Amino acid sequence: MTSASLNSATGPARRTVMAAAGAAGLAVALTACGSDDGSADSSDVSGSGTTQDSNGSGGAAGAGGTALAKTSEIPEGGGKIFKDQGVVVTQPTAGTYKAFSSKCTHQGCAVTSITGGAIVCPCHGSQFSVEDGSVKKGPATQPLASENVTVSGDQITLA
Ligand code: FES
């Protein structure tokens, strides 16, 4: 009598343990899938450019790079402003291309012109060098933020 009731008690108990183990196994499998996806995503991002870009100016454009211009459109010793992308691309010396954010570091106006090797903000007259975005004339005190562009053949692409 005693042993019979013991047996019937271990039966269901064992099943409960196995069911719990099954559920735990499932949870582990799901977790593994989730982290796989996560790492695949982050390697995509780092492969296509900078993490800085994907956080800041919209992931869609960052994914494959945005075709900006032909190299022939960027004047040597000057540059061109791409309003929609918020980017200035310059060619300080022949064959060297640089890119900067078009947002003035003073109070955030968009720069609108490039003259005499300087990127000019219309709001308070700050000027930035086409070579490295550094301040040539205040009131801004910080250089324009750099942007990454790649040049492939004659095509300039925003990374
Ligand atoms: Fe550009 Fe003030 S916002 S100079």
Side-chain angles (χ1 to χ4, degrees):
M1 191 86 160
T2 327
S3 64
S5 64
L6 260 181
N7 278 347
S8 65
T10 49
R14 197 179 290 148
R15 244 176 264 135
T16 307
V17 168
M18 285 172 68
L26 205 74
V28 167
L30 284 173
T31 309
C33 276
S35 67
D36 275 349
D37 286 345
S39 60
D41 280 351
S42 56
S43 66
D44 278 354
V45 167
S46 60
S48 66
T50 59
T51 44
Q52 169 208 349
D53 235 8
S54 58
N55 289 337
S57 48
T66 305
L68 264 187
K70 301 276 185 221
T71 51
S72 56
E73 293 175 51
I74 313 299
E76 193 182 326
K80 188 170 176 189
I81 297 165
F82 297 87
K83 229 192 290 171
D84 291 349
Q85 291 83 1
V87 172
V88 184
V89 178
T90 63
Q91 186 183 185
T93 54
T96 305
Y97 298 90
K98 297 276 178 77
F100 309 99
S101 164
S102 64
K103 188 176 169 187
C104 177
T105 57
H106 177 228
Q107 284 180 10
C109 287
V111 299
T112 49
S113 62
I114 300 177
T115 8
I119 303 163
V120 182
C121 177
C123 287
H124 315 95
S126 289
Q127 297 188 5
F128 305 89
S129 167
V130 295
E131 281 168 40
D132 55 8
S134 62
V135 176
K136 287 188 116 180
K137 186 166 170 281
T141 56
Q142 300 291 314
L144 291 178
S146 317
E147 298 279 342
N148 283 325
V149 286
T150 53
V151 182
S152 163
D154 67 349
Q155 181 66 53
I156 301 175
T157 304
L158 189 59

